[in-house]
Amino acid sequence: MQVLDASSDTFTLMPHGVRVPMAAHPSVLDAALAAGLSVPFSCQRGACGSCAADCVSGDVEHASTASATAIDPGPGRVLMCQVRARGEVVLQVPDWIPQAPPQRLEMRVLARRPLSPDVVELVLDPGREVETHAGQHLRIRLPDGDHRCFSIANRREDPRDPLELQIRRVPGGRFSDALLGGLMPGAVLDAEAPFGAPAMPAPDTPLVLLATGTGYAGVRALLQAALADPATPAVTLYWGGRHAADHYAGDELDAWAAADGRLRWQAVSPEATKGHAGEDGALQRHVQDHALADGHDWSSVRVHACGHPGMLRDARLALQAAGLPAARWHADAFVPSGRDDAPHDWERSGPQFDLAGIVAARERSIVAVQDIAALLRPGMSGEEARLLADERLRAMGSQRNWHPTIVRFGEDTTCTSREPGDPSRRLRVDDIVFIDIGPVWDGYEGDYGDTFVFGADEAHRRCAEAARAVFAEARAAWVAGASGVDLYALAETAAQRHGCTLVREMAGHRVSDFPHALYGRHKLAQAGFAPGRASGCWRSRSAIRCGRSAPSSRTCSCVNRTRADPPPSASSPATSTDTACSRSRSSSRRAW
């Protein structure tokens, strides 16, 4: 057990056994943050529930800063921002995985050898102890501040074990083409490791791995770890490549499969039969098609995929449609590396932050909102809809909500996020609905909101269309490099042209690795710089009120979209609930 100080009032955070003194701190949360612990939290006023913990033993008292309107976290649970420890207290923090920050390392090249005509294995000595887990990666820093990220391709049992990388030569690539060929044993690389959330263990569960190209490096350590665990019943790998030579580790896999009957792997090479697809059309299918054809019980396996983002998107949709629980899908996308420009102070993130993680959180949030909307039925109350939404998020694998889920109908859509609305208000046949979720996926904050129009009310439709038009104008200015202040001024003028009023209280905010509140509570509307120039992530929102003849019939439509997304379409098809859905996206990031 780690003890940070001595005090008569202390609390121990499980499952990692960190003991923290209360000292003069007003709450358990304040004491934990002062001790440098990245415990879950967000609002710090008891409204979001992010800092909920199970009280295993001991007594707590209300903090002097406790809010009278704090939510009830449930029997046997406390909100760490609302209580102080009295005496010795033990708290269990769900899904809390504190990770050591990446280390800056001088890694020495031990070996460089070809695996295929265009793939090279690089073996590195970390120089000192550095603990990594299957599924993580490292970053090699170049002299001008640029960097390249590579999967750690081997299972390491000791913190001093070498790290193996598998790198494809890219014509014109600054590292893989210009520098890699000159690296000889003894050369020193400036590196940082580890990055990325480690894969969560799932004992007694079959493992299905999907990879394309050198995505094999991203699943190789997982494969090794699974075979090293006697409890793993089966491991199946589907490895796609442009041609047969891309399966550069075929001999290695054949040997492992011969030694351990739990492993089976299949090469997928569409180009191999390009000239005679009619004779052997099966080989024209993608990795997920081969996996689906093998008859896995998708309700009881876990899947980890690594490779091209298009493969990851298509495979996730196909496998989840076949019964794979969302919580058992894990993926690593190939994301272009880039220069580490110093971010604005408002755009700081944690040392484990990774673009692929925030992008994956965004995509999962988009799917979740669409799923929730499809479950809504006229007659249900706002509270029933919120509970249904949270149930759906849990089923999809969300660790927690970093802000409360919002589902509002009719006049309640005019409320800001801090206004309660009427939870008993019921969804009408002709209605307007706003859904806003803040789930945490694998340690990253998703944040997505969308407006849905039920029925054919013309005023609802006009309001939704006006919000989209306002957002499209603001987005164009953002892409052109406007500051946050200028964006909201432009949006206000655009809203007036449409006969509406911009809701200034909804000013945009950060998203990041959870919790972004560690890095500040800055508002996009107050940013005097062009947001997202480096590593910052922002949630941009266009919220307008459009009046009809009476204030009671006002409606508010909010849309959120990433800066790099294509413009929204004017309309979209109705769902099975006759909902005309204008899709929108959040977790706004300048992601190019």
Side-chain angles (χ1 to χ4, degrees):
M1 176 182 292
Q2 180 182 357
V3 181
L4 298 179
D5 197 357
S7 174
S8 58
D9 293 332
T10 65
F11 58 92
T12 300
L13 297 178
M14 303 300 289
H16 302 281
V18 183
R19 186 167 178 260
V20 184
M22 277 302 312
H25 299 294
S27 71
V28 165
L29 177 61
D30 289 309
L33 294 177
L37 301 174
S38 57
V39 293
F41 80 102
S42 183
C43 72
Q44 293 182 279
R45 54 189 172 86
C48 68
S50 291
C51 64
D54 298 315
C55 189
V56 178
S57 64
D59 297 320
V60 297
E61 62 186 8
H62 285 294
S64 60
T65 54
S67 169
T69 59
I71 65 171
D72 180 1
R77 309 191 83 202
V78 299
L79 299 177
M80 291 188 286
C81 69
Q82 300 292 300
V83 299
R84 281 182 52 88
R86 293 178 55 189
E88 293 277 351
V89 176
V90 177
L91 300 176
Q92 179 86 17
V93 184
D95 302 310
W96 180 45
I97 309 175
Q99 297 178 24
Q103 301 181 46
R104 187 78 173 265
L105 302 159
E106 289 188 348
M107 294 191 177
R108 191 172 301 276
V109 176
L110 296 177
R112 178 177 62 84
R113 47 181 171 257
L115 298 177
S116 78
D118 60 352
V119 177
V120 173
E121 179 183 65
L122 200 62
V123 183
L124 304 176
D125 177 0
R128 63 174 186 263
E129 291 190 356
V130 55
E131 186 174 350
T132 64
H133 300 279
Q136 293 187 301
H137 64 274
L138 60 74
R139 176 184 292 176
I140 294 177
R141 301 177 64 90
L142 304 185
D144 62 352
D146 208 351
H147 68 267
R148 295 295 182 267
C149 297
F150 299 104
S151 298
I152 300 170
N154 60 313
R155 173 176 173 263
R156 302 173 67 240
E157 299 182 11
D158 186 274
R160 283 192 170 274
D161 283 349
L163 298 93
E164 300 174 10
L165 313 180
Q166 297 179 354
I167 304 171
R168 182 181 299 280
R169 292 181 183 271
V170 178
R174 292 194 52 235
F175 179 78
S176 66
D177 196 20
L179 300 178
L180 181 60
L183 291 178
M184 298 298 171
V188 175
L189 292 173
D190 183 3
E192 293 175 289
F195 287 92
M200 297 298 290
D204 305 320
T205 305
L207 175 63
V208 174
L209 302 170
L210 308 178
T212 54
T214 50
Y216 172 68
V219 301
R220 183 175 182 264
L222 295 164
L223 189 156
Q224 291 175 318
L227 293 180
D229 184 355
T232 304
V235 181
T236 310
L237 167 66
Y238 301 91
W239 185 6
R242 294 168 298 173
H243 43 72
D246 279 340
H247 304 114
Y248 52 83
D251 291 344
E252 170 183 84
L253 289 166
D254 287 341
W256 288 350
D260 192 326
R262 296 176 298 166
L263 172 62
R264 184 171 63 87
W265 81 282
Q266 184 171 348
V268 181
S269 300
E271 292 293 326
T273 56
K274 187 175 182 179
H276 54 278
E279 298 177 26
D280 193 357
L283 287 180
Q284 299 299 306
R285 297 178 299 171
H286 300 291
V287 289
Q288 66 268 21
D289 299 320
H290 286 262
L292 288 167
D294 274 354
H296 295 281
D297 178 2
W298 295 107
S299 66
S300 62
V301 305
R302 58 185 169 119
V303 175
H304 196 108
C306 185
H308 189 277
M311 180 276 284
L312 301 182
R313 179 190 63 248
D314 294 343
R316 175 179 57 81
L317 293 173
L319 300 188
Q320 289 182 0
L324 177 71
R328 294 189 176 184
W329 164 269
H330 305 278
D332 294 316
F334 288 157
V335 178
S337 300
R339 182 183 301 277
D340 264 345
D341 295 320
H344 191 282
D345 185 60
W346 285 19
E347 299 185 323
R348 291 180 297 123
S349 298
Q352 298 287 345
F353 179 84
D354 184 75
L355 174 59
I358 201 74
V359 170
R362 179 191 68 182
E363 296 304 314
R364 292 173 75 175
S365 299
I366 293 169
V367 173
V369 166
Q370 294 168 355
D371 285 358
I372 291 165
L375 295 172
L376 298 182
R377 295 291 183 272
M380 65 171 39
S381 69
E383 177 65 10
E384 290 169 340
R386 184 189 65 79
L387 293 173
L388 179 148
D390 280 337
E391 181 181 354
R392 180 59 188 155
L393 291 174
R394 288 192 297 272
M396 293 182 68
S398 170
Q399 295 165 287
R400 57 170 55 83
N401 294 334
W402 74 264
H403 75 65
T405 298
I406 295 172
V407 184
R408 288 179 175 160
F409 308 146
E411 296 172 10
D412 281 351
T413 62
T414 63
C415 298
T416 66
S417 58
R418 295 196 176 190
E419 296 171 338
D422 179 5
S424 65
R425 186 181 301 278
R426 297 197 174 271
L427 178 61
R428 297 168 298 192
V429 173
D430 288 309
D431 217 335
I432 191 165
V433 176
F434 179 60
I435 302 172
D436 187 9
I437 63 172
V440 177
W441 310 103
D442 298 329
Y444 289 89
E445 295 170 343
D447 199 350
Y448 181 77
D450 203 354
T451 298
F452 298 82
V453 176
F454 277 62
D457 187 283
E458 184 63 20
H460 293 163
R461 184 190 61 78
R462 285 199 307 269
C463 187
E465 290 179 354
R468 282 169 173 77
V470 170
F471 193 92
E473 290 188 43
R475 178 186 177 278
W478 190 350
V479 170
S483 71
V485 173
D486 291 341
L487 287 174
Y488 275 77
L490 181 151
E492 189 166 38
T493 301
Q496 292 170 356
R497 287 202 305 271
H498 288 274
C500 303
T501 303
L502 184 74
V503 182
R504 275 282 191 172
E505 296 93 324
M506 298 181 180
H509 57 76
R510 284 289 313 279
V511 289
S512 186
D513 47 325
F514 178 73
H516 79 265
L518 281 173
Y519 318 118
R521 298 181 175 278
H522 310 295
K523 300 297 184 184
L524 179 59
Q526 299 168 0
F529 59 94
R533 287 293 184 190
S535 62
C537 300
W538 293 92
R539 183 184 200 247
S540 173
R541 170 178 284 184
S542 169
I544 61 175
R545 289 193 174 102
C546 306
R548 287 193 284 185
S549 58
S552 62
S553 61
R554 292 177 303 166
T555 57
C556 173
S557 178
C558 309
V559 295
N560 310 278
R561 181 170 293 276
T562 61
R563 185 173 180 177
D565 282 336
S569 59
S571 62
S572 57
T575 69
S576 59
T577 57
D578 295 324
T579 305
C581 166
S582 325
R583 292 181 175 84
S584 55
R585 299 184 181 178
S586 67
S587 195
S588 298
R589 180 186 176 92
R590 190 183 185 200
W592 52 68

